[in-house]
Amino acid sequence: MLEMAGIGTAEERVYRFLVEVRDAGLDEIVRRLHIPEREAALLLSTLHDKGLVGRLPGDGGTRYVPVPPDVALQPLLARGQEALEWARRGMEQLAEEYRAGGRRHDAGQLVEVITGSGAIRQQLRQLAYGARSDLRWFCKADPVALRAQDNDEEFELLAQGIRYEAIYERACLEQPGMVDNVAQGIRAGESARATSTLPVRMVIVDSSVAVCPLMPGVTSAARGEPTAALIRSSSLLDALVALFDIQWAAGTPLHVTEEGELADFAGGTGSGGSLADDERYLLSLIVAGVADKAIATQLGFSHRTVQRRINVLMQRAGATTRTQLVWQAARRNWLS
């Protein structure tokens, strides 16, 4: 029972006896436990060295008393847990070295082909629940194995602190139920952007593995079972990560309005829209370099309200400075 704390079976037997009787001499331990005197003395010495047994002088010789179990065993258990953690880390490092060595000798291990919707779905679940930091998605219309509405694990992982970043192509957002689904994800903590079209479906987990379908989605099932490539650490994976970063930078951030609707940061709901007239006027004053106080006077707002509305525009544009806001406004033709 106490082996995980580094206590052998014979040692545990002697210690349990002392816990029961509270103190005993060597002769009594030998007699009651039916073990040789030399073995008993060695066991008591070992238990003393491990901090489980104390020695007290007595008229008939040394008496042995048990140290309270919670005091004696806690440090041993803590050291055991630390050793297990080190062993676990060592195992993971060795496993990664083994996989890396295999990939160097066998390029086929860099890419694994998965066939069938069920197998792809299972692989996606395993990767998601194994994520340590983030998942990044390219979401196209007509999914191969996992519809956004069925991605139940996203909300569990978001609650655990896993970061979700998703880029949706417009055709995907136009599918029934997708707007509400994306809005629900954003409210749960997902970071989402939209773009006109995406080159491929994809998910990247922790920048260490990616899954890309190799055949059309469920609407083309007649062409055969869907297949996907599982791509591990390689130059190919690096290229996919870079592709995501480029698409993310070019995408339009999505947010949920106060009314609970999904809107892009061009100001409209759904797949399109533009700035409201008062927002466009406010933005034109910012671009012109008008001071906030002067803007407040012209619009009839308080200075604080002007700053709040500017911050909203910056958030919509994905900008952290006013210079970036002006640049994004020009790129998105917000003032045209």
Side-chain angles (χ1 to χ4, degrees), residues 121 125 137 139-143 145-155 168 171-185 190:
R121 179 75 181 96
R125 282 188 181 274
W137 294 82
C139 300
K140 289 175 66 67
D142 299 328
L146 174 62
R147 300 185 309 161
Q149 298 92 323
D150 299 330
N151 190 8
D152 300 328
E153 57 266 24
E154 174 179 357
F155 301 102
Y168 299 90
C172 179
L173 291 174
E174 291 169 358
Q175 292 186 323
M178 273 303 299
V179 168
D180 290 340
N181 181 263
V182 174
Q184 184 180 4
E190 174 186 311

Side-chain angles (χ1 to χ4, degrees), residues 215-287:
M215 290 182 65
V218 293
T219 57
S220 301
R223 303 183 187 180
E225 282 280 356
T227 58
L230 189 149
I231 302 161
R232 299 181 177 88
S233 297
S234 60
S235 296
L236 175 58
L237 178 62
D238 293 342
L240 293 176
V241 172
L243 174 63
F244 183 93
D245 291 341
I246 292 170
Q247 292 285 342
W248 182 262
T252 300
L254 298 172
H255 76 292
V256 177
T257 66
E258 294 180 358
E259 293 76 22
E261 297 179 318
L262 178 67
D264 64 23
F265 288 134
T269 58
S271 61
S274 59
L275 290 179
D277 290 341
D278 59 343
E279 290 177 316
R280 183 178 289 104
Y281 183 43
L282 171 60
L283 185 57
S284 68
L285 295 175
I286 296 171
V287 172

Side-chain angles (χ1 to χ4, degrees), residues 1-329:
M1 181 177 178
L2 300 180
E3 290 181 355
M4 291 299 295
I7 310 300
T9 303
E11 295 170 340
E12 180 178 349
R13 185 176 177 226
V14 173
Y15 180 67
R16 284 182 174 276
F17 172 73
L18 290 173
V19 168
E20 179 184 351
V21 301
R22 293 306 177 99
D23 75 272
L26 177 60
D27 292 343
E28 183 179 358
I29 294 172
V30 169
R31 185 177 67 257
R32 295 282 298 274
L33 298 182
H34 306 288
I35 56 178
E37 180 176 336
R38 184 174 180 179
E39 180 182 347
L42 180 60
L43 290 171
L44 288 166
S45 177
T46 302
L47 289 170
H48 180 268
D49 292 342
K50 292 180 178 180
L52 274 76
V53 167
R55 295 170 178 162
L56 295 175
D59 295 338
T62 302
R63 306 287 294 178
Y64 295 91
V65 296
V67 176
D70 54 341
V71 175
L73 295 175
Q74 193 66 34
L76 294 176
L77 289 172
R79 287 197 292 270
Q81 290 174 348
E82 183 179 351
L84 284 173
E85 179 62 19
W86 277 104
R88 185 187 65 80
R89 293 178 183 176
M91 179 274 294
E92 290 179 351
Q93 181 179 357
L94 286 172
E96 179 55 32
E97 290 177 1
Y98 174 82
R99 288 191 293 267
R103 290 193 291 267
R104 285 193 296 269
H105 290 88
D106 183 5
Q109 294 189 30
L110 293 174
V111 178
E112 176 185 348
V113 176
I114 307 168
T115 302
S117 297
I120 297 172
R121 179 75 181 96
Q122 182 62 27
Q123 184 67 68
L124 290 173
R125 282 188 181 274
Q126 291 177 356
L127 290 174
Y129 283 118
R132 295 185 177 183
S133 61
D134 61 85
L135 290 95
R136 292 182 278 180
W137 294 82
F138 274 178
C139 300
K140 289 175 66 67
D142 299 328
V144 171
L146 174 62
R147 300 185 309 161
Q149 298 92 323
D150 299 330
N151 190 8
D152 300 328
E153 57 266 24
E154 174 179 357
F155 301 102
E156 297 178 41
L157 296 173
L158 283 170
Q160 296 171 17
I162 301 299
R163 189 172 70 256
Y164 262 72
E165 294 180 346
I167 305 176
Y168 299 90
E169 68 175 12
R170 295 295 183 185
C172 179
L173 291 174
E174 291 169 358
Q175 292 186 323
M178 273 303 299
V179 168
D180 290 340
N181 181 263
V182 174
Q184 184 180 4
I186 293 173
R187 283 192 293 267
E190 174 186 311
S191 296
R193 297 196 172 192
T195 189
S196 58
T197 185
L198 288 169
V200 67
R201 297 177 184 85
M202 178 174 66
V203 59
I204 302 173
V205 182
D206 296 336
S207 297
S208 62
V209 63
V211 176
C212 294
L214 298 176
M215 290 182 65
V218 293
T219 57
S220 301
R223 303 183 187 180
E225 282 280 356
T227 58
L230 189 149
I231 302 161
R232 299 181 177 88
S233 297
S234 60
S235 296
L236 175 58
L237 178 62
D238 293 342
L240 293 176
V241 172
L243 174 63
F244 183 93
D245 291 341
I246 292 170
Q247 292 285 342
W248 182 262
T252 300
L254 298 172
H255 76 292
V256 177
T257 66
E258 294 180 358
E259 293 76 22
E261 297 179 318
L262 178 67
D264 64 23
F265 288 134
T269 58
S271 61
S274 59
L275 290 179
D277 290 341
D278 59 343
E279 290 177 316
R280 183 178 289 104
Y281 183 43
L282 171 60
L283 185 57
S284 68
L285 295 175
I286 296 171
V287 172
V290 179
D292 289 0
K293 288 185 178 180
I295 293 175
T297 300
Q298 291 194 42
L299 296 179
F301 296 150
S302 69
H303 186 206
R304 185 173 180 178
T305 298
V306 169
Q307 290 183 322
R308 179 179 62 81
R309 297 192 67 174
I310 291 174
N311 287 334
V312 169
L313 284 173
M314 291 173 62
Q315 182 186 30
R316 290 183 178 181
T320 57
T321 66
R322 295 196 182 191
T323 301
Q324 291 178 358
L325 172 59
V326 171
W327 184 84
Q328 287 287 352

